[in-house]
Amino acid sequence: MKNKKDVHQGTLALMALKTLDLLGPLHGYGLARRIEQISGDLLAVNQGTLYPLLLRLEQEGAIASEWGASDNNRRARFYKLTSVGRKQLQTETRDWQQTAALIDRFFAVRADDLR
Amino acid sequence: MTTLRRFLRRLAASALGRQDENRLSEEFEHHLALQTADNIRSGLPPVEARRQAVLKFGAVEALKEQCRDEQGLLVLDNLAQDTRYALRSFGRSPLFALTAVLSVAVGIGADTTIFTIAAGLLGRPAAGIDEPASLVDISGTERDEAFGINQISFPNFVDMRERITTLEDVYGYEPVAEPMSLSGAYGAERIFGHRVTTNYFAVLGVRPTVGRLFDTRASEQPTAEQTVVLTHRFWMRRFNGDPAIVGQTISLNRSQFTVVGVAASAFEGTSLIATDVWVPLSTTSSPTSDLAQRGLGWALVRGRLTRGVSVAQAAAEVETIGRALEQQYLDENRGKGLRLAAASSVPGNLALPLAGIVTLVMGFVSLVLVIACSNLAGVLLARATARRREIAVRVAIGAGRARLVRQLLTETLLLFVLGGASGLLVARGLTAVIVSRLPAVLPVPVALSLALDGRTIAFTAGLSFVAALLCGLVPALQTSKPDVISTLKNEASGVSSSSRLRNALVVSQVALSIVLLTGAGVFVRALQKATSIDPGFDPSGVEVASLDLSLANYTPATGQEFFRELASSVRDIPGVQDATVAASLPTGGPSRYGDLFHPGVRPSRGEQRLPAEWNVVQPRYFSTMRIPLVAGRDFNDADRDGAPQVMIVNEEAARRYWPGQDPIGKVLWRHLADFRRGQDNSPRMVVVIGVVRDVRARLRESSRPQVYLPLQQQFVAQVVVAARATHGQRIAGQIRQVVTSMNNNLPILNTETLEEAVTFTLLPQRLGAFVSGSLGVVGLLLATMGIYSVTAFAVAQRTREIGIRMALGATRTAVVGMVLRFGLKLVAGGAVVGLLFAAALNATLTKVFVGFPPIDAIAFAASATLFLLVGMTACFVPVRRATRIDPLAVLRYE
């Protein structure tokens, strides 16, 4: 079984990709706020762990980054989803849904059905 | 796919350096600023807002580290960092780095040189040959002879060639190229021709440059037209690369040979003696009937394995064929067999003993490398000890042990990379020197390739790596687990385990160095003894020229006539006191002309032979060499073919064969050496007519029985003519003139003085003394450096202790005594171990290798004394420094 850290990293990556897909290019802080909003407690603390993750995603080619101007006209790094990233997102989403459906069926089974 | 992409990006980032260090700071700062602003908006005061923002973010520095780790390849980054650090520390102490690299270079260079020589001698001939890995050598074996060059007879060769299936084809060849006389309008010259069967080039896969190579369809029987193939080098040198030489004839040994072609330029032949031309083996001056002699050795054989067959399979088949042939032809092949092994440049069965000698030499040379490495290990240990505060701090902060060990190892590896590369240069220089000195030492040109090829470089790299690990691992492991607390408190550590280790290293250095030094002493003494032995003849003032009549179509009758005339003509040269012709000089030569038995003993081969060294000489041999005649008479003209067979023996032979009796008139049975069909092979009766003093052939101490036969009764084609000049002047030119006037196509193979010949026989001892002497000196130097550095370090470490002692009243003498005792304890300990080890080694080697010098007490004592003196000198500077310690200054400094 994967350990907690890997699961955390995996779901965080998925959430980051989905958020960028939905909302378009964001900078690091914006992304962190949105994820915190949606997932509740997952990214309440240690928000900085997002940054190594973003770097990794960038190296894998799932996202791209560039300098831009933020709301208060400060220089900020904006991340956006690439086509590779979009494809990755679709694949992972389908995998998750399949897994979830399978687990659902197992949890719905009663002892009698298996005899 | 994504992992590969990620890896490549990380690799690129590591290699090219990262320029966006600031990006992280800026980005983090931006995040924190926005979070702080949000916190302020929700009502927190600014300072608290900032604090909350930072808490929520997480550990900034740690996250930055994580990001950096994500960006580059950690391993590469660390390696680069360690290397840069190591280079910087070398820059700070250049002297250390220089001496370290130098001593490593010397050790590795010497080892590589020996390896190159070994590879050249024992490895397969490879230049210009197709797939040399599938070549194998086949030689004959004789039941009672383990080593030697055993040639296979022609009938046996033909049968084997027919029956063998594991080999594609086999060819026959003479062990080495032989001297031949090339004559013509352009003058006479001695060149070297290699006799090989006509399928030689086909089996080896050599192609011609111009013309063609030998016609492989030609049989081995001699034809009317004699052909020759030139080597490319000879073609360039002698005929300026003129293609018109193809089809022309050249005169070799007074016979006409047609040049059919020139071999490819990359191919230099397979003989250790450099080849100029090849002639078919059928072109031999021996009568054709010799080829039909199954019992007569004819040539060595080399073959190529059929594709997919292993050496072991072929060896098994060859052995079986050998046994079958022995059974089939019991008369001639009794006790003989066939043996197959991977091809090597050294002919016959000589490869194994040569390999043994080379291993021995390599072992000795490696001792120097070991001493250099332990020296280096000691110095590295000292340096690490000096840095122990820094290391303790690092460990306290949280550096992993593995990381520290890696960094310390990188320094050592870098030293050995530099040292190994310099070692290659040293080896290149040494091999160049050897190659340039060879012609002066050896009488014939040698084709030995001492190039630094891939094998050598691989060897050097492997050796450097192993040495680096051994050398650096122990100091690295030692110092990476420091006693953190006491080091940080700056407490004085007494004798820590690292200094004990250093002392142990120095003791071992001393021991090994003593081994080398005693080895040098033993060889030098052996050389001394060899040169001081009375040889039994007077070598001064004698000129020697070697001739080979077998190349010039002489019969035994015409040959004897020629020798008689030659000797008397040379005697007529003004300034010549005496002259003679003989098969070999007193320094030794080919020795067997048969077997001797006592009369009354049933003569059967292989049993109860009387041992003897032979020579075949003309009258006046003993007077020319100044070997005293002790009893009886010298040979004279009456002792010719047809007259009763006579011989002269030396005192040792007389003592052994007829103890206490007068040997004159006694009789022995003599069996001929070669079994020849159609010849009278019955044993001959030989009468002793004279006794001469013992000659110490090869300057060994003990005498051997020696017998001399008259040249007129035993024709030998390869002879030396020796002339003693009245005033010791050189008369080589005049001898040459005499020979040329008698037969201007007869090659003079070599001229030298008898003294030079004697010196040449001492070559092994001289070589041994030179090499071991150099190694001994280098080892001594290295060990001295080791003793000095350890003693100096000990004084520096114990400065406080010495200062306190002096303050408490110790005299300077007492301090000197303390330091000297420390140093001498190391030296004495190492010396004792070393002497014991050297004695054991010497005893073993003398048993294993015939001719290895025995244990020499004087040599051992001399080296021990020398080392003690040197050890004391090495302590000199540290002792002075110790006495100059100012106790007040020491006490003041805390």
Side-chain angles (χ1 to χ4, degrees), chain B residues 404-425:
Chain B
L404 277 176
V405 169
R406 254 209 312 265
Q407 186 187 22
L408 294 169
L409 264 186
T410 309
E411 212 178 275
T412 318
L413 270 173
L414 195 62
L415 274 177
F416 273 88
V417 163
L418 293 171
S422 326
L424 268 180
L425 288 176

Side-chain angles (χ1 to χ4, degrees), chain A residues 27 29 32-33 36 44-49 51-52 55-56 58-60 70 74-77 79, chain B residues 2 5-6 9-10 23 26-31 33-35 38 56-58 63 66-67 70-71:
Chain A
H27 55 60
Y29 180 67
R33 286 292 309 272
E36 189 187 358
V45 290
N46 274 334
Q47 281 192 340
T49 55
Y51 286 95
L55 250 155
R56 207 158 142 257
E58 192 176 349
Q59 285 181 338
E60 286 176 359
S70 74
R74 282 178 69 165
R75 207 162 87 110
R77 193 103 186 158
Y79 298 90
Chain B
T2 47
R5 186 182 281 144
R6 184 155 162 251
R9 280 192 73 157
R10 286 172 87 175
R23 160 185 163 174
E26 209 178 324
E27 217 173 334
F28 284 16
E29 193 43 54
H30 181 245
H31 184 122
L34 285 179
Q35 180 75 68
D38 275 348
K56 187 165 182 180
F57 189 81
L63 282 168
Q66 253 191 313
C67 284
E70 287 286 340
Q71 280 187 312

Side-chain angles (χ1 to χ4, degrees), chain B residues 83-95:
Chain B
T83 315
R84 255 176 285 146
Y85 186 83
L87 282 173
R88 265 206 309 267
S89 75
F90 289 166
R92 262 180 273 138
S93 41
L95 192 64

Side-chain angles (χ1 to χ4, degrees), chain B residues 24 42 117 359 500 606 847:
Chain B
L24 279 175
S42 19
I117 296 178
T359 318
R500 256 175 301 170
K847 252 185 264 183

Side-chain angles (χ1 to χ4, degrees), chain B residues 590-658:
Chain B
S591 5
R592 271 181 62 192
Y593 295 96
D595 297 317
L596 290 174
F597 301 90
H598 269 308
V601 174
R602 196 173 118 73
S604 52
R605 290 177 85 81
E607 281 150 29
Q608 305 211 18
R609 300 195 276 232
L610 296 170
E613 285 178 357
W614 299 73
N615 201 351
V616 178
V617 304
Q618 268 190 354
R620 309 281 287 271
Y621 172 80
F622 302 104
S623 53
T624 310
M625 299 295 171
R626 297 223 177 120
I627 302 173
L629 187 68
V630 173
R633 64 171 179 85
D634 190 4
F635 298 131
N636 56 31
D637 288 333
D639 304 313
R640 53 176 62 234
D641 216 7
Q645 302 265 312
V646 293
M647 68 159 55
I648 295 178
V649 301
N650 72 344
E651 290 173 313
E652 177 67 23
R655 261 193 296 267
R656 283 218 210 165
Y657 304 161
W658 306 281

Side-chain angles (χ1 to χ4, degrees), chain B residues 180-184 187-189 251-255 546-555 558-563 565-566 569-570 715 717 734-749:
Chain B
M180 294 180 174
S181 163
L182 173 70
S183 52
E189 181 189 347
S251 166
L252 289 174
N253 297 341
R254 274 223 299 200
S255 289
S546 355
L547 309 171
D548 188 351
L549 256 54
S550 67
L551 312 176
N553 300 319
Y554 279 91
T555 66
T558 54
Q560 297 284 15
E561 183 57 43
F562 177 80
F563 288 150
E565 216 189 297
L566 178 63
S569 303
V570 171
F715 178 67
Q734 288 97 311
I735 298 182
R736 217 183 266 275
Q737 265 181 337
V738 167
V739 173
T740 319
S741 69
M742 292 175 65
N743 179 348
N744 69 349
N745 268 327
L746 189 64
I748 292 207
L749 304 179

Side-chain angles (χ1 to χ4, degrees), chain B residues 336-677:
Chain B
K336 299 203 179 138
L338 294 176
R339 191 173 149 274
L340 181 143
S344 90
S345 301
V346 171
N349 303 332
L350 296 176
L352 201 58
L354 191 63
I357 297 178
V358 165
T359 318
L360 184 67
V361 174
M362 184 92 107
F364 269 111
V365 173
S366 305
L367 281 183
V368 171
L369 184 62
V370 170
I371 297 180
C373 284
S374 64
N375 216 334
L376 194 57
V379 174
L380 287 173
L381 209 58
R383 278 169 63 90
T385 316
R387 287 166 54 187
R388 66 188 189 283
R389 275 207 77 197
E390 172 210 332
I391 294 175
V393 170
R394 283 174 155 214
V395 169
I397 297 182
R401 182 143 178 243
R403 182 83 179 79
L404 277 176
V405 169
R406 254 209 312 265
Q407 186 187 22
L408 294 169
L409 264 186
T410 309
E411 212 178 275
T412 318
L413 270 173
L414 195 62
L415 274 177
F416 273 88
V417 163
L418 293 171
S422 326
L424 268 180
L425 288 176
V426 167
R428 197 141 170 266
L430 274 178
T431 50
V433 164
I434 292 177
V435 165
S436 69
R437 295 277 301 156
L438 266 183
V441 169
L442 297 172
V444 289
V446 159
L448 188 63
S449 142
L450 290 183
L452 296 182
D453 58 5
R455 272 183 306 194
T456 320
I457 297 181
F459 173 78
T460 311
L463 191 65
S464 313
F465 188 67
V466 168
L469 276 183
L470 288 175
C471 193
L473 206 60
V474 171
L477 287 175
Q478 262 281 333
T479 51
S480 61
K481 52 172 166 87
D483 188 1
V484 176
I485 299 179
S486 67
T487 314
L488 285 176
K489 286 207 277 182
N490 206 14
E491 275 168 9
S493 55
V495 179
S496 63
S497 62
S498 78
S499 356
R500 256 175 301 170
L501 188 61
R502 284 196 76 197
N503 295 346
L505 281 172
V506 167
V507 167
S508 61
Q509 276 178 46
V510 170
L512 290 175
S513 183
I514 286 248
V515 170
L516 285 178
L517 213 59
T518 49
V522 160
F523 274 102
V524 165
R525 285 269 301 166
L527 180 63
Q528 222 182 17
K529 264 189 264 178
T531 48
S532 64
I533 295 177
D534 173 21
F537 59 94
D538 182 5
S540 62
V542 175
E543 193 79 43
V544 174
S546 355
L547 309 171
D548 188 351
L549 256 54
S550 67
L551 312 176
N553 300 319
Y554 279 91
T555 66
T558 54
Q560 297 284 15
E561 183 57 43
F562 177 80
F563 288 150
R564 246 193 311 272
E565 216 189 297
L566 178 63
S568 83
S569 303
V570 171
R571 254 173 250 138
D572 286 338
I573 297 176
V576 168
Q577 222 178 45
D578 216 342
T580 185
V581 174
S584 49
L585 297 172
T587 50
S591 5
R592 271 181 62 192
Y593 295 96
D595 297 317
L596 290 174
F597 301 90
H598 269 308
V601 174
R602 196 173 118 73
S604 52
R605 290 177 85 81
E607 281 150 29
Q608 305 211 18
R609 300 195 276 232
L610 296 170
E613 285 178 357
W614 299 73
N615 201 351
V616 178
V617 304
Q618 268 190 354
R620 309 281 287 271
Y621 172 80
F622 302 104
S623 53
T624 310
M625 299 295 171
R626 297 223 177 120
I627 302 173
L629 187 68
V630 173
R633 64 171 179 85
D634 190 4
F635 298 131
N636 56 31
D637 288 333
D639 304 313
R640 53 176 62 234
D641 216 7
Q645 302 265 312
V646 293
M647 68 159 55
I648 295 178
V649 301
N650 72 344
E651 290 173 313
E652 177 67 23
R655 261 193 296 267
R656 283 218 210 165
Y657 304 161
W658 306 281
Q661 306 164 39
D662 180 14
I664 309 288
K666 293 281 189 299
V667 154
L668 286 176
W669 288 107
R670 176 181 160 220
H671 269 264
L672 294 179
D674 290 318
F675 184 90
R676 276 167 198 264
R677 208 166 283 187

